[in-house]
Amino acid sequence: MSAEPTVEGLAQELSTYLDTNRINQVRRAYYYAEQAHEGQMRKSGDRYITHPLAVARILAELKLDHQSLMAAMLHDVIEDTGIPKDALAEQFGEDVAELVDGVSKLTQIEFRSRAEAQAENFQKMTLAMARDIRVILVKLADRLHNMRTLGPMPYEKRQRIATETLDIYAPIANRLGMHSICTELEDLGFSSLYPMRAKYISKAVNKLRGSHREIIEEIRGRLQEKLEERGLPGRILGREKHLNSIYNKMKFKHKSFHEIMDVYAFRIITDTEDDCYRILGAVHSLYKPLPGRFKDYIAMPKANGYQSLHTTLFGMHVNIEIQIRTEEMEHIANNGIAAHWMYKNEPSNVTSVNQARVDRWVKGLMEMRERADDSLEFIEHVKVDLFPDEIYVFTPKGRIMELPSGATPVDFAYAIHTDIGNAAVACRINRNLGSLSQPLQSGQTVEIITAPGARPNPAWLSFVVTGKARSSIRHVLKTQKRAESLELGRTLLKKSLKGFGTKLADISDGQKQAVVNHNQVNSFDDLISDIGLGNRMAYLVARQLVNGAEGAESATVEAGRPADRSPVTIRGTEGLLVKFASCCKPIPGDPVVGVMDSGNGMVIHSDTCSRLPEDDEGRARLTHLKWAKDITDEFSVELRVELERQRGVIAELANAVAMADGNIERISVEDQNAKFGIVSLVVHVNGRRHLARVMRRIRNIRAVTHINRVRH
């Protein structure tokens, strides 16, 4: 067994690119983590601290900055030892605490489903949740070390972690251009999932490599000779074929093992871009290039920053694949976005040239992102939320929904299905009841609670952000308003016709059409709808229907009109077009009248309300109403309670209301002196009898001297 790695060994490695002060900060993070994980062991029997140290070493190989290394040391501290984020911020600064917190959050995502699209969305969500891209780099290093030491884990856990690695983490490494980490994750994942297949392929590769050694050496020799002949600098490396990529080519491209392995792959690494093209000319003069197999990724880099010339040649009866790139391209191909920090640490030896090449690379990536079709082919800056305009949330079954930033549970409900949005009444976010209007965050699980017969609330329009939610709500409200205005209009028209001693059924289609034409509307329904909305008077339309449109030309509301005093029944739950006046707050049992409000339907007032018209003409326009018998809905009532000031009297008041099954909506102390106070209460009751019960309970409190219902 190899000796346990030490922090001193790491410090030695860091001294090649970090100054002493920064190395000491990394050391401090190590000792803090060592103390926090004291007594914890890994499945392998090693002390737990060996894991964070190994993760830091992987990042040190990528020459990452000291904050990333500190976060690597501390990445399991919040999760495993209960030390809170702010304690880390106090010790190591806000940046490091943020990184550690980000890694912990990623660790908590449960990867439940395995569909292709899901894997892609998980990758997006993983990236979206990391506000600082270094979070991803620490997470990748953490995953890489876990994959290297997967052996002692139980079988199921090994399978789950390996699948997750192949579905989520290896593709992320690839998207960030980190080829070396990507291929290692792929091969470790493949070997874990399919140990037998990996063993067979590996055996076959070694066997083939042995028998092909001579050909490989000969091709390498010829290439070397050609470069020397032309005076071109270049290192020639043989390229390994990776187990996972061999397996995938066999599986998805239906190629035989020998077809794949009969390709000899080399990489030539040179000094400048110019040399790359010269070497390309040299190898093309040595062996014939295969048509259509040449790719220039130097002039047009891949979206993750990868640059190289690729060409396939035919020589010595075999295909020869060659990649040609500069040292810098090689470094970026292997380490991708991590190649940044090598030049970002501002130690004394950083030159402006290095800085410029990093900035050039980032700029190139940004330009490519604009051209890229796939939103995942990206990277805006090094430190940026990669998907600032999208959030990713789970349905209760683990499906991922992609929504625009700022989306609420209502948007989520409509994204699932219009019917679910229309019937939504509440929601659970991460299993706790949440508000329908709160903006969602990536990674949350959202569950919508629906109720049969529920309708969208017009207030939703003020906070939804998706077009689908907005148009669906508007559509339902429009349809609902139309249906309600027709119903109310028809009721009011029937009542007015009754006053003329006739019924709607007795009016002929011809009479109706004449009135429709006279009023210049499209249909009789539109006319009725206008009555319901308060834009026309039912009495006038009734008169036109009875006397003929022309005869009612100058009809005014006469005081002695044939009036029908039979009231219209209301239930109090009519919806958009029947509203209760906020001035007098009528409740079931109160004598009430309806006032038509232009465009908005009917407003219900108590018949003693001071806001009602006083004159005869105005009074004649009121609709007499009566309450239905079986109302169970709640209505607001305002009460004014005068009382002697005593300790705990407000609690006693609240208790009295609760004992009478009332609900308090609002309670406020209006004015008071040392002895007396006035309390204003808004209580929900379902009628006058219920209100009487509530008032009786309040009156029974010894401190209460007077109580009355407030009507403004």
Side-chain angles (χ1 to χ4, degrees):
M1 202 175 138
S2 59
E4 199 176 278
T6 64
V7 71
E8 289 318 316
L10 176 68
Q12 193 76 43
E13 197 167 330
L14 296 182
S15 63
T16 59
Y17 74 99
L18 284 182
D19 59 28
T20 320
N21 172 28
R22 291 194 166 123
I23 294 172
N24 286 337
Q25 288 184 49
V26 175
R27 246 199 208 98
R28 209 159 64 86
Y30 168 80
Y31 288 121
Y32 188 91
E34 187 177 42
Q35 215 171 345
H37 291 297
E38 190 55 58
Q40 279 181 283
M41 304 301 270
R42 300 196 83 211
K43 279 264 192 299
S44 60
D46 293 333
R47 289 190 310 149
Y48 195 86
I49 191 64
T50 56
H51 168 62
L53 188 57
V55 173
R57 281 202 91 114
I58 292 170
L59 296 178
E61 284 163 26
L62 295 171
K63 302 212 172 351
L64 244 59
D65 65 325
H66 67 294
Q67 289 183 333
S68 307
L69 292 156
M70 290 162 79
M73 294 296 189
L74 301 162
H75 75 270
D76 282 328
V77 164
I78 293 183
E79 187 76 4
D80 294 352
T81 65
I83 292 171
K85 178 181 163 188
D86 39 14
L88 289 184
E90 214 171 284
Q91 281 285 331
F92 302 105
E94 202 55 54
D95 284 356
V96 173
E98 278 296 333
L99 289 175
V100 174
D101 189 46
V103 177
S104 297
K105 283 203 176 87
L106 289 190
T107 307
Q108 286 160 18
I109 305 178
E110 280 178 42
F111 296 92
R112 285 173 250 199
S113 65
R114 286 280 157 256
E116 285 286 309
Q118 288 290 304
E120 177 136 320
N121 273 342
F122 273 124
Q123 294 158 25
K124 277 185 165 188
M125 186 170 71
T126 308
L127 290 161
M129 286 178 72
R131 306 207 85 78
D132 183 331
I133 200 163
R134 291 176 298 176
V135 167
I136 298 282
L137 301 182
V138 176
K139 184 69 200 162
L140 287 174
D142 170 46
R143 178 50 58 113
L144 181 56
H145 185 248
N146 280 336
M147 289 303 293
R148 286 174 181 172
T149 54
L150 209 50
M153 289 284 173
Y155 174 75
E156 274 79 18
K157 197 164 184 187
R158 275 211 312 273
Q159 297 294 89
R160 185 181 67 75
I161 293 174
T163 308
E164 198 176 278
T165 300
L166 290 174
D167 279 356
I168 317 301
Y169 291 108
I172 286 176
N174 182 37
R175 289 207 165 89
L176 298 178
M178 303 169 70
H179 181 72
S180 49
I181 284 188
C182 171
T183 49
E184 189 175 350
L185 284 173
E186 281 180 350
D187 282 355
L188 288 167
F190 174 62
S191 306
S192 230
L193 272 186
Y194 307 113
M196 292 312 285
R197 294 174 207 188
K199 207 157 122 189
Y200 280 127
I201 295 175
S202 164
K203 237 189 202 156
V205 168
N206 289 334
K207 189 174 170 193
L208 212 63
R209 203 177 280 137
S211 59
H212 287 187
R213 188 165 287 121
E214 284 167 28
I215 300 181
I216 293 169
E217 287 311 320
E218 187 165 344
I219 296 171
R220 186 200 298 270
R222 288 205 184 174
L223 289 170
Q224 193 75 53
E225 232 169 81
K226 196 71 181 167
L227 294 189
E228 284 166 9
E229 178 191 312
R230 299 219 174 166
L232 294 167
R235 300 189 282 136
I236 300 174
L237 310 171
R239 243 170 68 231
E240 295 286 308
K241 283 267 187 252
H242 292 281
L243 303 184
N244 191 56
S245 75
I246 295 171
Y247 175 69
N248 283 338
K249 277 182 185 160
M250 288 166 71
K251 188 172 173 186
F252 298 116
K253 293 196 176 173
H254 306 293
K255 290 190 170 184
S256 73
F257 177 70
H258 285 283
E259 261 181 287
I260 298 163
M261 293 309 292
D262 274 348
V263 177
Y264 295 84
F266 294 92
R267 183 175 303 150
I268 304 176
I269 296 160
T270 184
D271 296 347
T272 66
E273 240 175 66
D274 210 31
D275 291 334
C276 293
Y277 290 104
R278 287 211 178 109
I279 289 172
L280 180 72
V283 298
H284 280 187
S285 72
L286 181 63
Y287 298 117
K288 281 241 178 317
L290 288 183
R293 297 291 297 274
F294 166 64
K295 298 229 172 44
D296 185 345
Y297 291 120
I298 292 181
M300 289 192 300
K302 284 191 181 178
N304 59 15
Y306 174 88
Q307 287 183 295
S308 257
L309 295 178
H310 287 196
T311 186
T312 305
L313 312 167
F314 183 75
M316 307 192 51
H317 313 298
V318 291
N319 282 351
I320 305 160
E321 271 179 12
I322 295 185
Q323 295 175 347
I324 307 165
R325 56 176 79 149
T326 63
E327 291 284 359
E328 182 192 349
M329 289 172 196
E330 167 77 346
H331 181 58
I332 284 173
N334 287 327
N335 300 331
I337 199 158
H340 266 25
W341 281 277
M342 196 164 177
Y343 315 118
K344 285 268 180 183
N345 290 307
E346 332 97 40
S348 53
N349 63 356
V350 160
T351 63
S352 56
V353 178
N354 277 344
Q355 188 55 52
R357 61 199 241 199
V358 169
D359 292 342
R360 193 173 70 237
W361 187 55
V362 176
K363 188 164 171 280
L365 286 175
M366 287 170 72
E367 283 167 11
M368 282 180 284
R369 168 136 204 226
E370 283 156 28
R371 292 202 305 264
D373 298 331
D374 174 1
S375 65
L376 278 175
E377 295 184 346
F378 57 87
I379 300 161
E380 282 167 33
H381 301 290
V382 185
K383 271 178 76 173
V384 75
D385 187 343
L386 291 167
F387 298 96
D389 307 324
E390 296 166 9
I391 56 160
Y392 298 88
V393 289
F394 290 106
T395 66
K397 289 188 175 162
R399 190 170 135 226
I400 294 182
M401 303 292 290
E402 179 183 326
L403 294 168
S405 177
T408 62
V410 175
D411 293 294
F412 172 84
Y414 278 105
I416 292 173
H417 198 283
T418 312
D419 294 348
I420 290 183
N422 289 340
V425 289
C427 69
R428 287 195 184 90
I429 297 172
N430 293 343
R431 298 198 182 88
N432 298 321
L433 276 174
S435 150
L436 282 174
S437 63
Q438 75 185 79
L440 297 169
Q441 309 284 324
S442 275
Q444 289 176 330
T445 300
V446 186
E447 181 185 348
I448 298 296
I449 300 161
T450 56
R455 298 178 188 168
N457 183 336
W460 290 356
L461 287 168
S462 65
F463 58 73
V464 294
V465 299
T466 54
K468 182 176 182 191
R470 193 173 298 282
S471 60
S472 304
I473 296 165
R474 282 212 177 107
H475 175 71
V476 173
L477 292 178
K478 212 181 275 173
T479 318
Q480 185 183 333
K481 198 166 186 176
R482 170 81 177 176
E484 287 177 9
S485 64
L486 280 169
E487 195 179 331
L488 182 59
R490 192 168 276 115
T491 307
L492 296 173
L493 184 60
K494 280 180 179 171
K495 180 176 179 292
S496 286
L497 284 169
K498 202 172 175 188
F500 286 99
T502 187
K503 288 181 180 165
L504 189 54
D506 301 339
I507 307 287
S508 71
D509 287 347
Q511 283 170 289
K512 286 179 187 173
Q513 195 53 48
V515 174
V516 165
N517 296 342
H518 175 74
N519 286 298
Q520 296 175 331
V521 288
N522 291 328
S523 66
F524 192 62
D525 271 359
D526 284 357
L527 198 62
I528 290 179
S529 176
D530 268 358
I531 295 171
L533 288 167
N535 296 334
R536 292 176 192 277
M537 286 181 64
Y539 169 69
L540 293 184
V541 176
R543 186 179 172 128
Q544 288 173 357
L545 286 167
V546 172
N547 298 349
E550 303 308 317
E553 187 66 35
S554 59
T556 54
V557 184
E558 304 120 25
R561 75 174 199 197
D564 173 46
R565 290 285 165 186
S566 65
V568 174
T569 303
I570 54 159
R571 308 187 53 80
T573 52
E574 276 78 1
L576 293 174
L577 289 179
V578 176
K579 300 186 181 73
F580 293 91
S582 55
C583 45
C584 51
K585 290 192 167 70
I587 62 171
D590 287 346
V592 282
V593 291
V595 178
M596 295 310 287
D597 177 14
S598 179
N600 294 315
M602 183 187 283
V603 182
I604 298 172
H605 289 261
S606 164
D607 73 352
T608 56
C609 180
S610 58
R611 301 260 176 102
L612 291 175
E614 298 291 331
D615 58 323
D616 287 345
E617 187 182 331
R619 298 294 288 184
R621 287 185 182 186
L622 300 178
T623 307
H624 288 269
L625 305 170
K626 69 171 183 189
W627 294 94
K629 292 216 162 36
D630 52 350
I631 293 176
T632 55
D633 267 52
E634 293 194 330
F635 298 81
S636 299
V637 179
E638 191 175 339
L639 300 175
R640 184 171 178 274
V641 183
E642 295 174 22
L643 39 73
E644 294 171 20
R645 287 191 59 190
Q646 290 178 9
R647 210 192 194 143
V649 74
I650 299 287
E652 211 176 325
L653 204 58
N655 190 39
V657 174
M659 293 296 286
D661 301 321
N663 279 324
I664 295 179
E665 182 188 315
R666 202 178 69 236
I667 187 163
S668 59
V669 179
E670 299 212 332
D671 59 60
Q672 55 181 14
N673 55 32
K675 285 195 83 172
F676 292 96
I678 294 173
V679 174
S680 165
L681 272 179
V682 176
V683 183
H684 287 176
V685 295
N686 57 22
R688 281 180 79 137
R689 285 184 167 175
H690 188 191
L691 175 64
R693 224 166 58 234
V694 171
M695 289 173 76
R696 198 162 48 244
R697 285 272 185 183
I698 294 173
R699 212 174 269 119
N700 287 344
I701 298 171
R702 190 170 291 164
V704 171
T705 55
H706 189 71
I707 176 171
N708 64 318
R709 180 174 168 191
V710 179
R711 299 169 190 267
H712 293 288

